[in-house]
Amino acid sequence: MSRSRAWAATAVLLTGLAGYFVMPPLASRGDDLTLPEERAERLRQELESLQPKGTYILIDTGANRLILKRGAEVLMEAVCSTGSRRTLVSGERRWTFETPRGVRQIRSKIRHPVWRRPDWAFLEEGKPLPRREGDRYMPGVLGDYALDIGGGYFIHGTLYTRLLGQNVTHGCIRLGDEDLEKLFRQAPVGAKVYVF
């Protein structure tokens, strides 16, 4: 596991506990005569060096929480919705609706995004695939803003705000309008997105 991924997996826990825990003595290697306090300080320094720099986003898919941070400072926290983990099968085609975990990056920011409905969106509703490409486009359903995090995944708005906090999406991360606008304004293109 890379250092960035290891940090993302522990960042939420460690950020809140950093000033409150006392490190137990580390197992001795036989030649390490360092005092426990010195070892604890070294460990704290190493953990601090692993912390992402600049502005970044943490997305906890289990708790459906999004946190925007700059270094150790929390800029905003929000309830979000992430992938449902359901699977749709149509003939030999199969889709599993998960929010991909790992380290991503904000690739671009879009005002007034338009959703291009993929095949699964029609099949899920029992509708035939459209003959005209123009029949796939739906303005207004993604909210006023979207942040592209690559691979066809976005952080965007939702018409279904009552479902925020639940695993109901097809993989994208949904936010309420007010939180989405704050995130859009504060998270720069290039910011890392740690999804766990």
Side-chain angles (χ1 to χ4, degrees):
M1 177 181 289
S2 73
R3 285 184 169 205
S4 295
R5 290 183 71 192
W7 172 255
T10 59
V12 173
L13 176 65
L14 293 177
T15 300
L17 299 177
Y20 298 101
F21 72 102
V22 176
M23 292 298 299
L26 301 175
S28 174
R29 297 185 320 230
D31 61 343
D32 188 357
L33 301 176
T34 309
L35 296 173
E37 297 83 20
E38 292 171 355
R39 283 183 275 173
E41 181 57 30
R42 273 199 330 246
L43 182 57
R44 272 191 280 280
Q45 289 173 359
E46 184 168 337
L47 284 172
E48 188 175 306
S49 75
L50 296 175
Q51 181 172 340
K53 307 297 185 243
T55 301
Y56 61 96
I57 299 169
L58 299 173
I59 298 173
D60 181 342
T61 61
N64 283 303
R65 295 294 185 269
L66 180 146
I67 302 171
L68 175 66
K69 299 185 79 175
R70 183 180 304 118
E73 178 188 4
V74 174
L75 301 177
M76 71 171 277
E77 294 184 54
V79 175
C80 64
S81 288
T82 57
S84 67
R85 301 182 187 104
R86 290 183 307 108
T87 299
L88 173 66
V89 178
S90 178
E92 294 188 17
R93 299 175 76 186
R94 173 187 208 89
W95 297 269
T96 301
F97 302 121
E98 291 186 294
T99 301
R101 286 153 182 80
V103 181
R104 304 188 84 77
Q105 186 174 30
I106 297 176
R107 295 171 50 166
S108 65
K109 294 165 48 169
I110 305 158
R111 291 180 184 270
H112 308 293
V114 175
W115 184 39
R116 182 193 178 276
R117 296 177 73 195
D119 290 352
W120 57 255
F122 295 94
L123 299 171
E124 188 176 50
E125 295 176 2
K127 295 179 179 177
L129 298 179
R131 293 183 180 175
R132 295 176 346 124
E133 179 66 17
D135 292 338
R136 288 183 178 271
Y137 293 92
M138 295 186 66
V141 299
L142 301 179
D144 291 335
Y145 308 99
L147 294 88
D148 178 0
I149 60 171
Y153 296 96
F154 293 83
I155 301 172
H156 62 74
T158 181
L159 298 174
Y160 306 103
T161 56
R162 69 186 181 283
L163 299 177
L164 287 171
Q166 299 179 41
N167 295 94
V168 294
T169 79
H170 294 92
C172 288
I173 297 100
R174 296 180 189 166
L175 287 175
D177 291 341
E178 189 175 310
D179 290 327
L180 180 60
E181 183 174 358
K182 282 183 196 172
L183 185 68
F184 187 86
R185 294 188 189 291
Q186 295 185 50
V189 170
K192 297 287 188 190
V193 180
Y194 298 90
V195 183
F196 58 97

